[in-house]
Amino acid sequence: MSTAILSLDQGTTSSRAIVFDERGAILACAQREFKQFFPRAGWVEHNATEIWTSQRNVAAEAIAMWGAKHGGAGGAIGAIGITNQRETTVIWNRQTGEPIAPAIVWQDRRTAGYCEELIKEGHQDVIRTKTGLVVDPYFSATKIRWLLKHIAGAERSAALGELAFGTVDTWLLYNLTAGKVHATDVSNASRTMLFNIQTLEWDEELLRLLNIPRSILPKIVSSSGLIGETLCDGLPRGIPICSVIGDQQAALFGQGCHTPGLVKNTYGTGCFMLMNTGATPAPASKGLISTVAWRTGTEPNSATVYALEGSVFIAGAAVQWLRDGLGIINSAAEVEALAASVPSSEGVVFVPAFSGLGTPDWDPTARGTLLGLTRGTTRAHIARATLDAIAFQCAELLSAMRDASGISPAELRVDGGGTANRLLMQIQADLVGIPVIRANVQETTALGAARLAGMATGLWSGVTGSTAEPASGHRWLPSISRDEAQSKLSSWHRAVPRAMGWA
């Protein structure tokens, strides 16, 4: 019987567990949504305990499904790989293991004012130089500072070494190992705004600037290597945990973007485009950020791969808003047919800045804006404008990457739930002017974590065996001229400034 890898894919709205074989085929899969909390305008929270229990339960389900197919052989799971929503911040008590407050989600904008203070005080350049990031509420550092400041007794407890911080990967590791492992990998660490991407260590100057004690931070490890083993209740004990990587970096790896210049875009709650830039961080410009993609090997000097990244905060979440906020569709899947029922948005432009704007504008004060409405506007036009908005934002990311890197990609590799929308993918190909290629295996994020785990254990060895480019599932070619594409984009460029500066 072949050995399988269990990938834990902890996302913004659901927890998934997928069992892969060495060919990247899915052998078993379980998924569970969990509750989203919006206590105030611009605030987004999760129940960290629910994140853990939902992830553990779907892992148990996937293992049971796999075992049922192979005579109950749960031991056939050779390793676990973890991939996760990034930047979301959890702080817990080391003794009890209980979170001190709800997790602050990456979309949360409550620290926008503090970020503005940091910029006004002139700290933007040093933070960007050290971390590759812009000063923005998106990243973990100001969320940590907020929790320590606003939760009663937290600062004192942190100073006494009683608290632990982690992004979601760290929180899962801690619980999977029954508190034995408090660690994060380089890809997740690079999203905190506390990690120096040159030295690959926590940066003391930034810790002092934000008044965050080093004692709460996790150990930094590679993205591929033996990190710990399962010791928790509810799962088989002793399964080695052999990879940890942020979800977007995992998708880059799973898409086979192992050569500098290759680009992938993931369509989920938000959209995240990454370009492999090789062994050195690329200078971040055009609103892009420079981030660690992954590090393989267990030695501190193991080869590190970097990436340029552009972030769209609201993509699939805009479709969810059509369903839950406006009620003009009953399910997210209905949006394609509704949008396709009209040939265009008839001049309606939607800027879905519900959580501010990411790349290239980085404006936390921007808010959602719907322009160009007439008495003839229907829900179909709004649905079409929503798909256009997702594609417009991603076209902006690719344009910025071309300018910043000097590389003109020959194709855009795509994954995520949004790629099931064929109309969206055609709109995207029309706007970017290059083929848009969807992987045959849609779960490239989970696959990336699984491949890294397989490499670490030696179960899947060699580039051709464990990291081969996934087979193409579908290809969309541009169907309009570049002049027409630019004309469409000009409407977006006129609309965005009207959404900025509202908060």
Side-chain angles (χ1 to χ4, degrees):
M1 179 173 56
S2 62
T3 302
I5 302 292
L6 173 65
S7 185
L8 306 183
D9 183 0
Q10 204 300 301
T12 306
T13 58
S14 70
S15 296
R16 281 183 290 181
I18 302 176
V19 180
F20 290 97
D21 69 11
E22 64 276 7
R23 296 172 293 114
I26 294 175
L27 305 176
C29 178
Q31 179 172 347
R32 186 169 300 177
E33 291 189 1
F34 55 88
K35 191 171 182 180
Q36 311 290 303
F37 297 90
F38 309 97
R40 298 186 190 178
W43 290 29
V44 189
E45 296 178 347
H46 289 161
N47 181 323
T49 301
E50 187 183 8
I51 288 177
W52 157 238
T53 55
S54 64
Q55 188 65 73
R56 180 196 60 196
N57 292 344
V58 294
E61 289 176 30
I63 291 173
M65 292 169 63
W66 162 239
K69 293 178 181 178
H70 296 277
I77 302 297
I80 289 174
I82 297 172
T83 184
N84 57 284
Q85 55 164 312
R86 306 170 303 171
E87 298 95 19
T88 295
T89 297
V90 185
I91 297 181
W92 63 94
N93 183 288
R94 290 183 183 274
Q95 184 174 0
T96 66
E98 293 296 320
I100 67 170
I104 302 181
V105 180
W106 58 271
Q107 298 164 315
D108 190 283
R109 313 305 287 172
R110 75 185 65 181
T111 63
Y114 182 40
C115 289
E116 289 176 8
E117 290 177 18
L118 290 171
I119 293 170
K120 288 177 182 178
E121 291 169 2
H123 301 300
Q124 168 91 314
D125 288 345
V126 68
I127 290 173
R128 192 172 186 90
T129 298
K130 288 173 175 284
T131 69
L133 309 177
V134 298
V135 177
D136 192 84
Y138 178 28
F139 305 108
S140 307
T142 59
K143 303 179 194 299
I144 299 171
R145 182 66 250 149
W146 191 95
L147 287 167
L148 293 179
K149 183 177 180 181
H150 289 85
I151 302 303
E155 286 187 307
R156 181 177 181 277
S157 295
L160 293 173
E162 297 172 351
L163 302 183
F165 151 74
T167 42
V168 170
D169 59 308
T170 303
W171 175 238
L172 294 181
L173 269 175
Y174 190 84
N175 284 283
L176 284 164
T177 62
K180 300 294 185 184
V181 176
H182 181 215
T184 190
D185 89 300
V186 289
S187 72
N188 280 291
S190 72
R191 315 299 300 187
T192 61
M193 215 170 78
L194 297 171
F195 180 77
N196 190 312
I197 62 171
Q198 305 285 347
T199 65
L200 301 178
E201 296 176 343
W202 299 120
D203 191 274
E204 293 293 345
E205 181 181 1
L206 297 181
L207 291 173
R208 288 193 299 270
L209 173 64
L210 283 92
N211 193 24
I212 294 173
R214 188 184 182 98
S215 62
I216 73 170
L217 300 179
K219 175 184 176 182
I220 296 167
V221 299
S222 290
S223 311
S224 179
L226 179 60
I227 302 165
E229 61 180 30
T230 54
L231 294 170
C232 62
D233 293 334
L235 293 176
R237 296 199 170 199
I239 302 176
I241 303 166
C242 293
S243 75
V244 172
I245 185 169
D247 53 7
Q248 303 311 320
Q249 290 95 327
L252 188 71
F253 195 88
Q255 281 273 32
C257 296
H258 309 130
T259 303
L262 291 178
V263 183
K264 75 88 196 174
N265 193 32
T266 296
Y267 297 78
T269 304
C271 285
F272 300 91
M273 187 178 293
L274 275 74
M275 173 188 282
N276 184 324
T277 60
T280 56
S285 61
K286 301 289 184 179
L288 299 170
I289 60 177
S290 189
T291 193
V292 176
W294 56 76
R295 183 175 73 191
T296 55
T298 57
E299 299 302 319
N301 61 349
S302 298
T304 302
V305 174
Y306 294 88
L308 278 174
E309 178 172 333
S311 304
V312 169
F313 294 154
I314 300 294
V319 176
Q320 291 173 336
W321 177 70
L322 296 184
R323 179 193 67 193
D324 303 333
L326 294 187
I328 65 174
I329 53 175
N330 294 315
S331 69
E334 291 179 14
V335 73
E336 181 175 5
L338 181 60
S341 69
V342 291
S344 75
S345 70
E346 294 292 344
V348 176
V349 181
F350 178 28
V351 183
F354 300 142
S355 298
L357 288 169
T359 311
D361 303 289
W362 290 104
D363 182 359
T365 69
R367 289 296 178 263
T369 306
L370 196 57
L371 301 168
L373 301 178
T374 70
R375 284 290 299 273
T377 299
T378 68
R379 64 191 187 102
H381 295 116
I382 294 174
R384 184 79 179 215
T386 300
L387 298 189
D388 287 344
I390 297 170
F392 283 144
Q393 292 176 97
C394 295
E396 290 281 88
L397 301 188
L398 188 61
S399 177
M401 286 187 178
R402 286 183 178 127
D403 292 344
S405 67
I407 299 171
S408 294
E411 63 188 29
L412 176 63
R413 300 181 183 180
V414 299
D415 57 66
T419 63
N421 189 318
R422 289 177 173 247
L423 175 58
L424 172 60
M425 292 298 98
Q426 185 59 59
I427 294 170
Q428 192 68 85
D430 289 343
L431 291 176
V432 298
I434 56 176
V436 170
I437 301 173
R438 185 176 67 193
N440 190 43
V441 176
Q442 284 297 287
E443 303 294 348
T444 54
T445 299
L447 180 60
R451 284 178 165 167
L452 286 163
M455 290 170 59
T457 60
L459 297 173
W460 300 345
S461 61
V463 172
T464 57
S466 63
T467 64
E469 176 185 337
S472 173
H474 196 84
R475 178 185 297 256
W476 288 267
L477 301 177
S479 63
I480 64 175
S481 70
R482 299 314 302 147
D483 286 344
E484 185 176 352
Q486 288 304 314
S487 177
K488 290 176 179 291
L489 283 163
S490 67
S491 65
W492 173 256
H493 295 151
R494 292 194 302 271
V496 168
R498 302 190 184 188
M500 298 171 71
W502 280 90

